[in-house]
Amino acid sequence: MTFISSAIYGCPLFSGIEEKELDGMLGCLDAKTTNFSKGGYILRAGSTVESLGLMVLGNAFIIQEDFWGNRNILSSIGQGQCFGETFACVPGAALNVNVVAQSKATVMFLNVKRILSMCPSSCTHHSRMIQNLLAGLAGKNLLFNEKITHLGQRTTRAKLLSYLSAEARRHSSAEFDIPFTRQQLADYLSVERSGLSLELSKMRKDGLLEFHKNHFLLKS
Protein backbone atom coordinates (compact mmCIF):
# COMPACT_ATOMS: atom_id res chain seq x y z
CA MET A 1 0.00 0.00 0.00
CA THR A 2 1.16 3.54 -0.75
CA PHE A 3 1.12 4.83 2.85
CA ILE A 4 3.20 1.82 3.97
CA SER A 5 5.75 2.46 1.24
CA SER A 6 5.88 6.16 2.18
CA ALA A 7 6.58 5.38 5.84
CA ILE A 8 9.29 2.84 5.00
CA TYR A 9 11.07 5.04 2.48
CA GLY A 10 11.05 7.92 4.95
CA CYS A 11 12.27 5.84 7.89
CA PRO A 12 15.89 6.50 8.96
CA LEU A 13 16.29 2.77 9.61
CA PHE A 14 16.17 2.21 5.84
CA SER A 15 18.31 5.22 4.91
CA GLY A 16 20.69 4.48 2.04
CA ILE A 17 18.85 1.29 1.05
CA GLU A 18 17.46 1.08 -2.46
CA GLU A 19 13.76 0.51 -2.98
CA LYS A 20 14.38 -2.64 -5.01
CA GLU A 21 16.04 -4.21 -1.95
CA LEU A 22 13.19 -3.48 0.46
CA ASP A 23 10.74 -6.27 -0.37
CA GLY A 24 13.37 -8.94 0.14
CA MET A 25 14.64 -7.29 3.33
CA LEU A 26 11.16 -7.05 4.87
CA GLY A 27 10.70 -10.77 4.33
CA CYS A 28 14.11 -11.41 5.87
CA LEU A 29 13.19 -9.30 8.91
CA ASP A 30 9.90 -11.17 9.43
CA ALA A 31 7.90 -7.94 9.01
CA LYS A 32 4.35 -8.06 10.41
CA THR A 33 1.81 -5.22 10.23
CA THR A 34 -0.82 -4.64 12.93
CA ASN A 35 -3.61 -2.04 13.26
CA PHE A 36 -4.48 -0.29 16.55
CA SER A 37 -7.43 1.88 17.53
CA LYS A 38 -7.04 5.28 19.21
CA GLY A 39 -6.08 4.78 22.84
CA GLY A 40 -4.96 1.22 22.19
CA TYR A 41 -1.83 -0.13 23.83
CA ILE A 42 0.76 -0.99 21.19
CA LEU A 43 3.22 -2.17 23.83
CA ARG A 44 2.60 -2.66 27.55
CA ALA A 45 4.91 -2.20 30.51
CA GLY A 46 6.09 -5.51 31.96
CA SER A 47 6.11 -7.36 28.65
CA THR A 48 9.17 -8.35 26.65
CA VAL A 49 9.68 -7.75 22.94
CA GLU A 50 11.86 -9.18 20.20
CA SER A 51 10.79 -6.72 17.50
CA LEU A 52 11.04 -2.97 17.08
CA GLY A 53 8.01 -1.06 15.87
CA LEU A 54 7.86 1.19 12.81
CA MET A 55 4.95 3.66 12.82
CA VAL A 56 3.44 3.28 9.36
CA LEU A 57 0.37 5.42 9.94
CA GLY A 58 -0.83 7.52 12.86
CA ASN A 59 1.03 8.52 16.01
CA ALA A 60 1.64 7.36 19.57
CA PHE A 61 3.22 8.38 22.87
CA ILE A 62 5.77 6.55 24.97
CA ILE A 63 4.40 6.86 28.49
CA GLN A 64 5.54 5.92 31.99
CA GLU A 65 2.77 5.38 34.53
CA ASP A 66 3.15 4.90 38.27
CA PHE A 67 1.04 2.69 40.54
CA TRP A 68 -1.62 5.43 40.90
CA GLY A 69 -1.90 6.12 37.18
CA ASN A 70 0.11 9.36 37.07
CA ARG A 71 1.53 9.79 33.58
CA ASN A 72 4.90 11.00 32.35
CA ILE A 73 5.11 11.35 28.56
CA LEU A 74 8.65 10.51 27.48
CA SER A 75 8.31 11.14 23.75
CA SER A 76 6.00 11.11 20.75
CA ILE A 77 6.19 8.77 17.74
CA GLY A 78 5.12 9.87 14.27
CA GLN A 79 4.95 8.24 10.85
CA GLY A 80 8.25 6.73 9.75
CA GLN A 81 9.68 6.65 13.29
CA CYS A 82 10.78 3.53 15.18
CA PHE A 83 10.28 2.57 18.81
CA GLY A 84 11.10 -0.27 21.18
CA GLU A 85 14.61 -0.82 19.75
CA THR A 86 16.41 -0.62 23.09
CA PHE A 87 14.29 -3.28 24.78
CA ALA A 88 14.27 -5.52 21.70
CA CYS A 89 18.09 -5.41 21.60
CA VAL A 90 18.34 -6.72 25.18
CA PRO A 91 16.90 -10.27 25.33
CA GLY A 92 14.45 -10.70 28.20
CA ALA A 93 14.40 -7.02 29.18
CA ALA A 94 10.95 -6.06 30.49
CA LEU A 95 9.40 -2.85 29.22
CA ASN A 96 9.07 -0.09 31.82
CA VAL A 97 6.94 2.04 29.51
CA ASN A 98 3.67 1.84 27.61
CA VAL A 99 3.32 2.79 23.96
CA VAL A 100 -0.20 4.16 23.43
CA ALA A 101 -1.79 5.06 20.09
CA GLN A 102 -3.03 8.66 19.97
CA SER A 103 -4.99 8.03 16.77
CA LYS A 104 -5.80 5.04 14.61
CA ALA A 105 -2.38 3.55 13.98
CA THR A 106 -0.72 0.97 11.77
CA VAL A 107 2.57 -0.46 13.02
CA MET A 108 5.06 -2.72 11.27
CA PHE A 109 7.08 -4.93 13.61
CA LEU A 110 10.60 -5.98 12.56
CA ASN A 111 12.59 -8.72 14.29
CA VAL A 112 15.67 -7.08 15.80
CA LYS A 113 17.58 -10.35 16.09
CA ARG A 114 17.41 -10.67 12.32
CA ILE A 115 18.75 -7.14 11.94
CA LEU A 116 21.71 -7.78 14.24
CA SER A 117 22.53 -11.18 12.71
CA MET A 118 23.53 -11.48 9.06
CA CYS A 119 20.72 -13.27 7.24
CA PRO A 120 21.20 -16.48 5.20
CA SER A 121 20.48 -14.60 1.98
CA SER A 122 23.21 -12.07 2.82
CA CYS A 123 21.24 -8.90 2.04
CA THR A 124 23.50 -6.40 0.29
CA HIS A 125 22.50 -3.54 2.56
CA HIS A 126 22.22 -5.47 5.82
CA SER A 127 25.30 -3.84 7.35
CA ARG A 128 23.90 -0.41 6.45
CA MET A 129 20.72 -1.20 8.38
CA ILE A 130 22.80 -2.11 11.46
CA GLN A 131 24.57 1.25 11.18
CA ASN A 132 21.19 2.99 10.86
CA LEU A 133 19.88 1.17 13.93
CA LEU A 134 22.88 2.27 16.01
CA ALA A 135 22.52 5.84 14.75
CA GLY A 136 18.85 5.82 15.70
CA LEU A 137 19.62 4.57 19.22
CA ALA A 138 22.27 7.26 19.63
CA GLY A 139 19.83 9.93 18.43
CA LYS A 140 17.22 8.83 20.97
CA ASN A 141 19.83 8.98 23.70
CA LEU A 142 20.48 12.60 22.74
CA LEU A 143 16.74 13.36 22.89
CA PHE A 144 16.53 11.73 26.32
CA ASN A 145 19.41 13.89 27.54
CA GLU A 146 17.58 16.92 26.11
CA LYS A 147 14.49 16.08 28.12
CA ILE A 148 16.59 15.74 31.26
CA THR A 149 17.79 19.29 30.57
CA HIS A 150 14.17 20.51 30.39
CA LEU A 151 13.14 18.73 33.59
CA GLY A 152 16.25 19.95 35.40
CA GLN A 153 15.01 23.55 35.22
CA ARG A 154 13.68 24.86 38.53
CA THR A 155 10.48 26.61 37.42
CA THR A 156 7.63 25.96 35.00
CA ARG A 157 8.69 29.00 32.94
CA ALA A 158 12.28 27.77 32.73
CA LYS A 159 11.08 24.32 31.63
CA LEU A 160 8.90 25.88 28.93
CA LEU A 161 11.70 28.15 27.72
CA SER A 162 14.07 25.17 27.53
CA TYR A 163 11.57 22.98 25.66
CA LEU A 164 10.33 25.65 23.25
CA SER A 165 13.89 26.80 22.48
CA ALA A 166 14.82 23.21 21.61
CA GLU A 167 11.77 22.91 19.33
CA ALA A 168 12.67 26.18 17.57
CA ARG A 169 16.18 24.84 16.92
CA ARG A 170 14.76 21.53 15.70
CA HIS A 171 12.44 23.30 13.23
CA SER A 172 15.03 25.96 12.34
CA SER A 173 12.26 28.49 12.85
CA ALA A 174 10.73 30.61 15.61
CA GLU A 175 7.29 29.42 14.43
CA PHE A 176 6.36 25.75 14.76
CA ASP A 177 3.82 23.17 15.94
CA ILE A 178 4.42 20.87 18.90
CA PRO A 179 3.01 17.30 19.08
CA PHE A 180 1.27 17.83 22.44
CA THR A 181 -2.02 19.15 23.80
CA ARG A 182 -1.80 21.27 26.99
CA GLN A 183 -2.31 18.24 29.24
CA GLN A 184 0.21 16.21 27.27
CA LEU A 185 2.76 19.03 27.42
CA ALA A 186 2.23 19.25 31.18
CA ASP A 187 2.78 15.49 31.45
CA TYR A 188 5.93 15.75 29.31
CA LEU A 189 7.42 18.53 31.45
CA SER A 190 6.17 17.00 34.73
CA VAL A 191 4.18 20.08 35.80
CA GLU A 192 0.54 20.77 36.65
CA ARG A 193 -1.62 21.68 33.66
CA SER A 194 -3.16 24.69 35.41
CA GLY A 195 0.28 26.06 36.29
CA LEU A 196 1.54 25.48 32.77
CA SER A 197 -1.44 27.27 31.19
CA LEU A 198 -1.05 30.18 33.60
CA GLU A 199 2.66 30.49 32.84
CA LEU A 200 2.06 30.44 29.10
CA SER A 201 -0.43 33.28 29.47
CA LYS A 202 2.12 35.25 31.50
CA MET A 203 4.81 34.62 28.90
CA ARG A 204 2.48 35.89 26.16
CA LYS A 205 1.73 39.00 28.24
CA ASP A 206 5.49 39.52 28.70
CA GLY A 207 5.94 39.44 24.93
CA LEU A 208 7.97 36.23 24.84
CA LEU A 209 5.65 34.28 22.56
CA GLU A 210 2.29 33.88 20.86
CA PHE A 211 0.39 30.61 20.63
CA HIS A 212 -2.84 29.03 19.48
CA LYS A 213 -3.44 25.45 20.61
CA ASN A 214 -0.23 23.62 19.65
CA HIS A 215 1.09 26.33 17.31
CA PHE A 216 3.79 28.62 18.76
CA LEU A 217 5.63 31.74 17.67
CA LEU A 218 8.63 32.74 19.78
CA LYS A 219 9.58 36.41 20.01
CA SER A 220 13.02 37.82 20.72
Side-chain angles (χ1 to χ4, degrees):
M1 298 177 69
T2 303
F3 68 87
I4 293 180
S5 299
S6 177
I8 293 173
Y9 299 151
C11 178
L13 183 64
F14 294 99
S15 176
I17 297 174
E18 297 179 13
E19 293 183 15
K20 62 183 180 181
E21 299 285 340
L22 284 176
D23 286 342
M25 291 188 72
L26 292 177
C28 170
L29 299 175
D30 193 27
K32 293 182 173 63
T33 302
T34 306
N35 295 318
F36 297 89
S37 58
K38 180 179 180 180
Y41 280 72
I42 299 173
L43 296 176
R44 286 185 178 273
S47 62
T48 58
V49 293
E50 295 182 349
S51 299
L52 64 81
L54 166 59
M55 185 63 66
V56 172
L57 187 67
N59 59 83
F61 286 148
I62 298 178
I63 298 171
Q64 279 186 328
E65 293 182 275
D66 64 19
F67 181 82
W68 295 273
N70 298 309
R71 286 189 163 195
N72 176 20
I73 296 177
L74 299 182
S75 63
S76 61
I77 308 163
Q79 182 175 320
Q81 294 181 316
C82 293
F83 59 92
E85 310 98 308
T86 302
F87 294 98
C89 286
V90 183
L95 289 163
N96 64 352
V97 296
N98 294 308
V99 180
V100 183
Q102 296 302 301
S103 63
K104 288 184 178 180
T106 301
V107 176
M108 178 179 289
F109 293 98
L110 304 170
N111 190 300
V112 167
K113 188 179 296 184
R114 296 195 180 187
I115 296 177
L116 298 177
S117 303
M118 295 303 289
C119 61
S121 57
S122 299
C123 296
T124 308
H125 297 291
H126 200 111
S127 60
R128 181 56 189 265
M129 178 172 279
I130 294 175
Q131 294 174 23
N132 292 341
L133 177 62
L134 291 174
L137 290 171
K140 290 192 173 182
N141 187 52
L142 292 176
L143 289 175
F144 179 71
N145 288 337
E146 184 179 276
K147 181 176 181 181
I148 290 176
T149 299
H150 304 330
L151 297 185
Q153 306 304 311
R154 292 177 178 269
T155 66
T156 298
R157 175 173 291 205
K159 290 180 179 182
L160 280 166
L161 289 172
S162 178
Y163 170 71
L164 294 173
S165 294
E167 287 300 300
R169 287 194 297 271
R170 199 179 339 275
H171 289 85
S172 299
S173 173
E175 189 169 4
F176 51 84
D177 293 332
I178 65 172
F180 302 128
T181 64
R182 289 291 178 272
Q183 182 60 60
Q184 291 163 353
L185 180 58
D187 290 342
Y188 179 77
L189 295 176
S190 295
V191 298
E192 292 292 335
R193 176 181 176 177
S194 58
L196 180 138
S197 296
L198 178 61
E199 195 58 53
L200 282 173
S201 295
K202 288 180 178 179
M203 291 169 70
R204 177 162 57 187
K205 184 177 180 180
D206 291 342
L208 293 174
L209 51 76
E210 290 291 339
F211 61 86
H212 178 67
K213 295 185 177 179
N214 68 333
H215 185 79
F216 284 80
L217 171 63
L218 305 189
K219 297 182 176 181
S220 58

